[in-house]
Amino acid sequence: MRAAYRVLASLIALAVVLQVASIAMAGFTVAGDAEDGATIGADYSNFGQSYHSMAGMAIALLALVFLIVSFLTNVPRGRMLAGIVVGLVVLQILLAVVSFGLPALGLLHGINGLAIAGVAGMASRRAATVAQPATSA
């Protein structure tokens, strides 16, 4: 189960990296489309925006599975790290919703995303470096 814990933690961290990349792509696509004369309104969307939204929900699902797996493994502080990831993901969703009304909070949304990747990466490394029990000679 330690391997499943490590894989899930690594997938969450990787998914956040892809989130950052997709929202950057979305921003540049909006700028390019506006420069080309496109009307950017409520019905406007691009691949980066759509991917960012859908992948965010996938990260939430991964985080819940990660928390469940954390109870089935013996990674030191594994449950705590998984719980922090879940808490940060919940905060991320709340920040996303609120940021549409108060765009300046989008800064916190971005910073919190990096925190999710950092904690998930820490959890993955912790699972990889768990000391093996000593064998008797």
Side-chain angles (χ1 to χ4, degrees):
M1 270 314 209
R2 187 180 309 138
Y5 180 95
R6 183 173 185 213
V7 167
L8 285 165
S10 296
L11 283 174
I12 291 167
L14 176 62
V16 171
V17 169
L18 294 174
Q19 285 288 92
V20 171
S22 70
I23 204 61
M25 182 176 71
F28 285 111
T29 302
V30 168
D33 288 350
E35 190 173 289
D36 292 341
T39 301
I40 311 297
D43 60 341
Y44 175 85
S45 185
N46 64 48
F47 175 76
Q49 290 172 307
S50 298
Y51 177 86
H52 187 81
S53 180
M54 290 184 294
M57 291 301 112
I59 290 171
L61 180 61
L62 280 172
L64 289 174
V65 173
F66 181 51
L67 182 62
I68 292 167
V69 169
S70 76
F71 284 93
L72 305 173
T73 188
N74 63 349
V75 174
R77 294 193 176 98
R79 291 181 198 107
M80 179 190 71
L81 291 170
I84 290 170
V85 168
V86 169
L88 290 172
V89 168
V90 169
L91 177 60
Q92 188 73 342
I93 294 167
L94 291 172
L95 285 169
V97 170
V98 174
S99 292
F100 284 104
L102 190 56
L105 283 179
L107 294 171
L108 295 177
H109 180 76
I111 292 167
N112 190 62
L114 297 176
I116 294 168
V119 174
M122 183 187 314
S124 176
R125 286 186 303 279
R126 183 170 290 267
T129 60
V130 171
Q132 297 298 322
T135 58
S136 57

